[in-house]
Amino acid sequence: MLKQVRKIKPNYRSVTGFVTYKGESIAYESTLERDFLLYHAALPNVIDITPQPISIPFIKNGRTYEYTPDYFVQFKLNDKFKPRSLMVEVKPKEEWQVNWRDWSDKWKAAIAYCNENDFRFSIYDEDRIRHHALDNVNFLSKYKNLAVDRKEINAILQQIEMRGETTVEVILELFFKGDIYRPHGKRVLWHLMSHNLIGFDIWEDITSEKLEIYHVDF
């Protein structure tokens, strides 16, 4: 398990702040890092995110330096799929494209370290971070603190567990039939999605009643 080696301090040259993940505050130093965290914190198969996880030594022009990647992301393993942990550098596309030759030594060192430890190393820019799935995460965040009836929630979850897989439309027909109740029913399901209490494809249209949802094993 890697631990944070450098603290991120507030500064006036960039946007800094925190994203809450499993009760912990994870710092970011830019809006791009913030969006990276928001997306990965919402994924059910992510089990841990560590900022500034390690200092990796590298040599440039005969001198030794240290490189600290931005984040280390660990994924849940199962019998069918064993994703490797991910070491990440978050950089705007224009910035890394201009400087990639100058930064290649430290990134080669990071790649070598990750290969030795069966990790992956990736550079994440806006093309890999700001996408439809992130839009869905931001949409669902509006319903995370929705006031819900616990008995209603339990009944819905039991129905989904019994079926294994179903659709939003089926659940709405069972519990929120009629034009008056349907909008509330959608908000309740979005609340459950925001907390990963029901499974769904984050890349699909989550406002569609045809969206497939399924029981999640905890």
Side-chain angles (χ1 to χ4, degrees), residues 139-140 142-144 146-148 152-153 156 167-173 175-194 198 205-211 213:
F139 175 84
L140 291 175
K142 296 182 292 185
Y143 301 94
K144 206 154 193 172
L146 182 73
V148 295
E152 189 174 64
I153 293 300
I156 292 172
T167 65
V168 168
E169 183 178 31
V170 168
I171 298 302
L172 292 176
E173 285 295 314
F175 294 96
F176 306 98
K177 197 165 187 175
D179 294 340
I180 296 178
Y181 304 105
R182 215 170 186 86
H184 171 67
K186 290 181 179 180
R187 291 192 292 271
V188 170
L189 290 176
W190 291 330
H191 172 78
L192 295 178
M193 292 178 197
S194 73
I198 56 177
D205 178 5
I206 58 175
T207 65
S208 170
E209 293 189 8
K210 302 299 181 183
L211 179 71
I213 54 179

Side-chain angles (χ1 to χ4, degrees), residues 24-192:
E24 300 290 332
S25 295
I26 304 178
Y28 59 82
E29 294 181 289
S30 67
T31 57
L32 196 59
E33 288 188 7
R34 176 202 63 197
D35 291 346
F36 172 86
L37 289 174
L38 287 173
Y39 171 66
H40 283 84
L43 296 180
N45 66 329
V46 169
I47 59 174
D48 193 52
I49 304 173
T50 304
Q52 312 292 312
I54 191 172
S55 292
I56 301 171
F58 70 96
I59 298 174
K60 180 182 175 72
N61 298 327
R63 296 183 61 183
T64 300
Y65 301 87
E66 287 190 339
Y67 163 55
T68 304
D70 291 315
Y71 298 101
F72 181 67
V73 182
Q74 290 181 279
F75 298 90
K76 184 187 301 181
L77 305 180
N78 57 51
D79 294 336
K80 296 181 180 179
F81 188 48
K82 294 179 172 58
R84 291 185 296 164
S85 297
L86 177 64
M87 195 79 72
V88 175
E89 174 73 17
V90 178
K91 276 284 183 287
K93 186 175 183 178
E94 183 179 6
E95 192 172 332
W96 74 255
Q97 286 185 336
V98 170
N99 294 284
W100 72 271
R101 288 185 184 276
D102 187 41
W103 293 340
S104 62
D105 295 296
K106 65 180 181 180
W107 288 344
K108 287 177 182 177
I111 292 171
Y113 173 84
C114 288
N115 287 340
E116 291 173 2
N117 291 276
D118 198 28
F119 302 153
R120 292 177 292 147
F121 176 76
S122 291
I123 300 167
Y124 271 66
D125 58 26
E126 50 269 44
D127 289 347
R128 301 189 69 178
I129 294 174
R130 290 172 176 156
H131 40 51
H132 176 65
L134 177 64
D135 293 339
N136 281 340
V137 169
N138 288 328
F139 175 84
L140 291 175
S141 67
K142 296 182 292 185
Y143 301 94
K144 206 154 193 172
N145 296 321
L146 182 73
V148 295
D149 185 316
R150 178 47 54 185
K151 291 182 179 178
E152 189 174 64
I153 293 300
N154 290 339
I156 292 172
L157 293 178
Q158 288 173 7
Q159 185 63 221
I160 296 174
E161 181 177 6
M162 182 185 71
R163 292 171 179 267
E165 293 184 5
T166 185
T167 65
V168 168
E169 183 178 31
V170 168
I171 298 302
L172 292 176
E173 285 295 314
L174 285 171
F175 294 96
F176 306 98
K177 197 165 187 175
D179 294 340
I180 296 178
Y181 304 105
R182 215 170 186 86
H184 171 67
K186 290 181 179 180
R187 291 192 292 271
V188 170
L189 290 176
W190 291 330
H191 172 78
L192 295 178

